[in-house]
Amino acid sequence: GPALGSVEDFRARYTYPKEDFFGADEYITGPLRADRLAELWRLCAPVVFARTGSDPDALIPLPPRHDETPEVDLDDVQREIAKRVPEACALALDAPHRIESWARSEDWRERVLAEAASPAPNATGLRLEQLAVCPSIFSDTFRRQSPDYISPKVGLIVERLSAHFEQQAGSAAVIFCEWILGLEAIQRALVSRGVVKRDRIAIYCGQVSTRDRAQIIRDLNEGELDVIVAQHRSLETGANLQTRCSFVAHASTPWAPDTLVQTTGRVHRQGQRREVFVIRPSGST
């Protein structure tokens, strides 16, 4: 093998040492040093096999994939709430008594803002992201006030899926969202618009048992279901949906890019024989 020396020698010569905060005056192996990579490659070349994604034997045959990332304007209701969400989150930190008064207000809009308020550092961004999907994700008041509400973003996904089913008869779909209440809102919209029957759609999330998750996947692949609405993290790995599924929608975008890739990869993967349609709309004020 290559003469790389002991572990201590390798660490000292080829890596950037990182202090081990759990040990006194000790260092652990860090990233490889950029200025020593050429030397390391030369020493390892006789025993290392390298293959890139462009090598013919590494290519995976995949069908065409159509990606769409449209901007969707908020409607008047969403826009009115969005304008005051930063104020509500600031008051939750600096003047919580104001939020308490909103929670008791006869104006349902103020009660919605009270439910949106949070002192967390990332609260404003999170609430605006949830708002673009459906205000009922963070507001019970809004859910009671407007039980049949469909946001422009969800409405666009519903329209695209309806058209997709017309073009690809017998296909299935998976729609992702970070929040369970968002999944429920999407499910209601699909059923109320007549895109899918209630018994042909299932919610796949962390609250569903392992056995029931496996059954949902089987039902989709075998034709008992037409749509799964799923949390990204719950369906990030371990499921093959390419048998019938050829439509993927992301009602929200996960923070981790690899999660976005992995969830879409449940459908656009080896063995898929249909063109795959992927839509990831963004809410715009």
Side-chain angles (χ1 to χ4, degrees), residues 8 18 20 28-29 54 95 113 124 126 130 132 135 160 162 164 177 181 196 222 226-227 239 242 254 256 283:
E8 291 76 15
K18 296 169 59 178
D20 183 0
I28 59 177
T29 302
S54 61
L113 287 169
T124 297
L126 177 63
Q130 292 172 332
R160 292 290 195 275
S162 178
H164 183 79
C177 185
L181 291 176
V196 64
E222 294 173 5
D226 295 320
V227 180
Q242 73 273 20

Side-chain angles (χ1 to χ4, degrees), residues 3-283:
L4 300 179
S6 66
V7 172
E8 291 76 15
D9 293 336
F10 179 87
R11 180 186 297 124
R13 181 164 182 79
Y14 297 108
T15 76
Y16 297 107
K18 296 169 59 178
E19 185 175 354
D20 183 0
F21 292 101
F22 297 98
D25 300 325
E26 293 186 8
Y27 290 86
I28 59 177
T29 302
L32 293 175
R33 289 181 52 159
D35 61 334
R36 298 281 170 78
L37 286 179
E39 176 186 338
L40 187 60
W41 172 253
R42 180 178 55 80
L43 290 172
C44 294
V47 295
V48 172
F49 173 71
R51 187 173 66 175
T52 68
S54 61
D55 291 339
D57 62 338
L59 294 177
I60 298 175
L62 293 175
R65 169 174 158 178
H66 176 79
D67 284 79
E68 186 177 353
T69 56
E71 277 198 3
V72 184
D73 291 337
L74 302 182
D75 61 22
D76 291 341
V77 173
Q78 291 172 306
R79 195 173 291 110
E80 182 179 354
I81 297 171
K83 288 179 179 178
R84 300 189 64 187
V85 164
E87 174 193 3
C89 292
L91 289 175
L93 182 64
D94 300 328
H97 63 280
R98 290 279 302 280
I99 300 301
E100 292 173 4
S101 68
W102 284 356
R104 298 189 298 269
S105 174
E106 294 183 1
D107 185 342
W108 67 269
R109 293 172 182 81
E110 289 191 343
R111 296 199 302 275
V112 168
L113 287 169
E115 292 165 343
S118 169
N122 65 335
T124 297
L126 177 63
R127 289 293 183 250
L128 293 176
E129 188 179 4
Q130 292 172 332
L131 177 67
V133 178
C134 186
S136 63
I137 292 175
F138 58 80
S139 173
D140 290 337
T141 297
F142 188 91
R143 187 162 55 253
R144 292 191 298 268
Q145 182 74 22
S146 306
D148 300 321
Y149 174 81
I150 299 176
S151 71
K153 176 185 278 193
V154 172
L156 178 65
I157 292 174
V158 170
E159 291 173 6
R160 292 290 195 275
L161 179 55
S162 178
H164 183 79
F165 279 166
E166 291 180 2
Q167 295 168 3
Q168 292 197 18
S171 66
V174 57
I175 302 175
F176 291 98
C177 185
E178 297 285 283
W179 309 285
I180 294 176
L181 291 176
L183 300 178
E184 294 177 356
I186 295 166
Q187 182 186 51
R188 288 194 301 270
L190 288 167
V191 173
S192 66
R193 294 278 178 90
V195 177
V196 64
K197 294 182 179 180
R198 179 63 185 82
D199 61 349
R200 303 281 299 180
I201 184 171
I203 290 179
Y204 190 108
C205 63
Q207 295 180 355
V208 176
S209 69
T210 301
R211 184 179 66 178
D212 288 345
R213 290 190 201 184
Q215 186 62 53
I216 289 172
I217 298 302
R218 284 195 297 270
D219 287 345
L220 188 81
N221 288 334
E222 294 173 5
E224 298 299 318
L225 292 173
D226 295 320
V227 180
I228 293 176
V229 284
Q231 282 183 302
H232 285 93
R233 286 295 188 184
S234 66
L235 196 52
E236 184 176 3
T237 59
N240 299 322
L241 303 179
Q242 73 273 20
T243 303
R244 291 180 58 239
C245 192
S246 57
F247 181 97
V248 181
H250 297 276
S252 62
T253 300
W255 289 102
D258 60 324
T259 298
L260 184 65
V261 172
Q262 288 286 351
T263 48
T264 302
R266 298 306 93 214
V267 175
H268 190 248
R269 61 190 296 109
Q270 192 169 15
Q272 174 64 260
R273 299 185 183 279
R274 303 171 185 254
E275 180 178 7
V276 176
F277 183 88
V278 182
I279 183 170
R280 184 169 58 89
S282 61

